[in-house]
Amino acid sequence: MVLHFLVKGRVQGVGFRWFVQREAAELGLRGWVRNTDRGHVEIVAAGEADLLAELKAALRKGSRGSRVDAVLEDELLESEGAQLGAFEIEGAW
């Protein structure tokens, strides 16, 4: 299963991407996380449905210092997850 999440709230500049990367890697998910130019955080994650549900629960809770106002979710085609590797942060320095 492949899901796209968009997390809205105070999620930039508070370590949220690193939080997501750690949570997803611990669950053994594939994919990426990155900031958007609108102040949100975007995630594409691939794995078993129960593990993706655990990630979604972590996204709703958020990292220390963050404030999550909304987690939007869309299911993607399985083929969109074919090229995903180990979970990584995109656009990090």
Side-chain angles (χ1 to χ4, degrees):
M1 180 175 226
V2 184
L3 295 178
H4 174 267
F5 296 103
L6 187 66
V7 184
K8 297 182 176 187
R10 189 178 69 212
V11 291
Q12 288 191 11
V14 292
F16 196 83
R17 289 176 300 160
W18 283 266
F19 163 77
V20 173
Q21 193 277 332
R22 186 182 70 243
E23 294 289 324
E26 286 178 8
L27 292 168
L29 299 173
R30 296 174 291 117
W32 50 262
V33 58
R34 67 182 174 203
N35 286 338
T36 71
D37 58 0
R38 296 185 139 209
H40 310 313
V41 170
E42 180 180 26
I43 299 128
V44 171
E48 299 298 321
D50 58 331
L51 299 175
L52 289 166
E54 286 187 50
L55 177 64
K56 185 176 182 180
L59 295 177
R60 284 187 175 137
K61 183 178 177 184
S63 63
R64 182 182 222 169
S66 69
R67 186 194 73 245
V68 176
D69 295 334
V71 178
L72 308 178
E73 173 187 337
D74 289 303
E75 187 171 348
L76 303 177
L77 298 173
E78 280 294 322
S79 60
E80 295 188 60
Q83 301 298 320
L84 297 174
F87 206 92
E88 64 184 5
I89 299 170
E90 289 193 348
W93 295 282

